[in-house]
Every structure is written in structure tokens, then in C-alpha cells.
Amino acid sequence: MWDFIQTQILGMKWLNILIGELLSALGLDIDSRIGSGIHFFIYDVIKITILLCLLIFVISYIQSFFPPERSRKIMGRFHGIGANIVGALLGTVTPFCSCSSIPIFMGFTSAGLPLGVTFSFLISSPMVDLGSLVLLMSIFGARIAIVYVVMGLMIAVAGGTLIERLHMEDQVADFIRNANSSVEIETPSLPVKERLIYAKDQVVSTFKKVFPYILIGVGIGAVIHNWIPESWIRAVLGGRNPFGVILATILGIPMYADIFGVIPIAEALLSKGALLGTILSFMMAVTTLSLPSLIMLKKAIKPKLLGTFIAICTVGIIIVGYGFNLFQYLFI
């Protein structure tokens, strides 16, 4: 039963076969380099789009129960590492990219939540949202997806805890520290119909923002899958290069994409022989430490805290990468 869910529902292998048959019927040789690239592109775009819309709808419906003010109150009931854990977990039901998470982080911070808790939220929100869990399951399988999410949450909790113990509250921008407003006025209870409308609207708005990155990501994946020699990938990101994890992490930072755009690139790299941990480090760096999000974050926090945040995330991502590489035989 689980194999059926993994291959036919999440992986949509039936769609892959159907598209291959349609392209063959149109006279395209799907075993050729160009035909295989077109096949890969169409299949992945359709598959990720379907999963994207379904995931955004479900997650947005869940999210309608957790407006920022309610989330702030929930986190305010906990203290110590428990508060960091709650902050990290709440990050899994919030926006899909780091740039969308930063305004919420700023609101939480100005509302008086402990700095470490808000950073646990900021790290986990783009790195381990519920969408990443399902998408990773569709490509890499349940074990890899679950361990990825657990490790991401551990980075978020550890990072937030460390920042809390460093007492860097003075490194938050003055306009945030001096804000007296609440995050948001308490949202009244919504009927099911309005929650469904909200979820539908989120699907439309998020799809418009994300779809270009899906096309770019799948396009890059198709090029890697069909034009870049496997020997090159193995030499740079395979077991022959002990610095592959560090290189992948550094390469991921300048990029801007969310999990939906990175997945097809990761899928192509894995098929070409890149190590699992190296790929996951690349994904974490892209989603958590993208250059545009760091530029936005620089307006909210001072350089010392920004540097600490980058260092903690980078070290955590690299440790996760080498850990997955070391135990890759357990997952693949």
C-alpha cells in the first residue's frame, strides 16, 4: 500500500508513463537527449504544479486557524527550550519562502516574544514547512523526508536557543524593539466557507509567485538530467570531493527559490550521482539563506546578529549534509 502511495500518488508514475506515451504518439523519441529532456520537463512541471496547488490549499486552510496574534499567544505560554520547539513547529505551517517569513518574524519580535523563539520560527519556516515534507516524500521517499524535517527542526531549535543565550536583543533594529503595536488584531472565528475561500485565494496568489521558479527549477533539472555528464556531477558533488557539502551550501546562498523550485534540481542531481547530504545541504541553503532574504533581514537586525544567524545556519546545514552523506546507505 505504501509503495502505491509513494510511486503512484506522490510520485505520479502513471503521469510519467502517460506523458511518455503521448510524446511517442506525436513522433518524439523520448529516449533521445532532447526527447528525454522534454519528457522530464513536462512531467515535472505538471506533477509539481498539482502537488503545489493541493499542498497550498491544505496548508492555507490549516494556517487560517493560526493568525499571527494567535501564534504569538501560543508561543507566549512556553518558556525555555520548549518555547523554541513550539516556535520551530509553528514555522512549519507558515509561508513557503524566507522572504515571506521575515515580516512575521519582525511582528513577533516587536510584540515582545523572546528573540531566540522568533529565530527558531524564522529558520524553520522556509526550511521545513509541510510542503517540503510531502514534496520530499514524492521524490526521495518517506525516510529521507522525515529525517530531513527532523534535522531542520533541530537546526531551528538549536539556532534559536544559542541566539537566546548570547543575549543579542540589542542587535535588533531600534524601530522593531521600540514598537508598541501587537502583531495583529485577533482574527475572529471564521466559518468553513470563508476558510475555504481564503485557502483558494492563497493557492492563486502563491501559484502566481512560485510558478516562474518552478519553470526555472525544472528547466535547470532537465539540463542537468540530460546534458551534464554524470562524471562531472560525481567529481564535484559526489564522494570524490570531500568539500562537496561546503561547496553546495555556498552555491545555494546566492539563489532565490523555494522548495518547489529546488526539488527538480535536487532530483536531477541525485540521479547523476551527487551525494544525498550534499543535495540536501544545497536545498537548505537555498531556502533558508537566500541572498534576497538576507538583504531583507539586514533591515531588521544589526550586522552582528545577522552574521551570527548566517553562521549558525551554515554550520548546521553543513553538519546535516555530512551526516546524511555518512549514512546515505541507510536511506538509498
Side-chain angles (χ1 to χ4, degrees), residues 29 57 89 92 115 124 164 168 246 261 304:
D29 181 7
F57 187 87
L89 289 173
T92 63
L115 188 62
S124 74
E164 186 71 27
M168 304 182 73
I246 298 174
K304 183 179 179 180

Side-chain angles (χ1 to χ4, degrees), residues 119 159 162-163 166 168 171 301-314:
F119 267 95
L162 180 57
I163 287 175
L166 290 174
M168 304 182 73
Q171 293 297 307
I301 60 178
K302 298 178 183 179
K304 183 179 179 180
L305 180 54
L306 179 63
T308 303
F309 167 75
I310 294 173
I312 289 172
C313 290
T314 301

Side-chain angles (χ1 to χ4, degrees), residues 21-306:
E21 291 177 349
L22 290 174
L23 291 175
S24 297
L26 293 173
L28 184 67
D29 181 7
I30 61 173
D31 293 323
S32 67
R33 181 173 291 182
I34 293 177
S36 178
I38 294 174
H39 186 195
F40 180 94
F41 184 84
I42 295 175
Y43 163 64
D44 258 35
V45 167
I46 295 175
K47 179 185 71 173
I48 293 175
T49 298
I50 293 172
L51 288 173
L52 167 70
C53 293
L54 290 174
L55 286 169
I56 293 175
F57 187 87
V58 173
I59 294 172
S60 297
Y61 187 85
I62 296 172
Q63 200 177 82
S64 69
F65 292 92
F66 295 95
E69 174 61 16
R70 183 176 184 187
S71 298
R72 184 191 68 80
K73 288 183 176 180
I74 291 173
M75 289 191 286
R77 297 174 188 154
F78 297 86
H79 304 281
I81 193 170
N84 292 95
I85 294 172
V86 172
L89 289 173
L90 281 174
T92 63
V93 292
T94 50
F96 300 100
C97 68
S98 51
C99 288
S100 301
S101 304
I102 290 172
I104 302 177
F105 157 79
M106 293 168 62
F108 285 159
T109 305
S110 64
L113 285 174
L115 188 62
V117 176
T118 60
F119 267 95
S120 289
F121 166 85
L122 181 64
I123 296 170
S124 74
S125 180
M127 185 184 289
V128 292
D129 59 73
L130 295 177
S132 68
L133 175 62
V134 176
L135 278 175
L136 284 168
M137 289 174 64
S138 72
I139 302 297
F140 300 115
R143 285 185 297 176
I144 294 175
I146 292 172
V147 175
Y148 172 89
V149 170
V150 170
M151 296 302 294
L153 289 172
M154 288 176 64
I155 293 176
V157 173
T161 302
L162 180 57
I163 287 175
E164 186 71 27
R165 293 184 177 179
L166 290 174
H167 302 291
M168 304 182 73
E169 287 77 10
D170 62 335
Q171 293 297 307
V172 177
D174 293 337
F175 77 92
I176 295 178
R177 285 195 295 137
N178 298 329
N180 295 318
S181 60
S182 177
V183 178
E184 184 180 285
I185 298 173
E186 180 67 43
T187 302
S189 298
L190 296 174
V192 172
K193 182 178 179 180
E194 291 190 24
R195 294 189 190 279
L196 292 173
I197 293 174
Y198 169 78
K200 182 200 73 174
D201 292 341
Q202 288 296 105
V203 170
V204 174
S205 63
T206 305
F207 177 78
K208 289 179 180 178
K209 291 187 292 185
V210 170
F211 189 65
Y213 296 106
I214 294 177
L215 295 178
I216 294 171
V218 175
I220 294 173
V223 170
I224 293 172
H225 193 273
N226 295 282
W227 273 274
I228 296 182
E230 184 174 323
S231 58
W232 292 10
I233 300 295
R234 287 185 178 275
V236 177
L237 300 178
R240 302 174 189 173
N241 184 4
F243 302 104
V245 170
I246 298 174
L247 178 62
T249 303
I250 294 173
L251 289 175
I253 293 176
M255 297 182 64
Y256 176 65
D258 53 27
I259 194 71
F260 301 103
V262 177
I263 282 287
I265 301 175
E267 180 183 12
L269 289 173
L270 185 66
S271 69
K272 285 290 186 175
L275 292 180
L276 176 62
T278 304
I279 295 170
L280 296 181
S281 291
F282 172 76
M283 292 171 57
M284 285 182 166
V286 171
T287 56
T288 309
L289 294 173
S290 66
L291 191 58
S293 69
L294 295 180
I295 293 173
M296 288 182 61
L297 191 58
K298 187 177 183 297
K299 298 178 180 179
I301 60 178
K302 298 178 183 179
K304 183 179 179 180
L305 180 54
L306 179 63

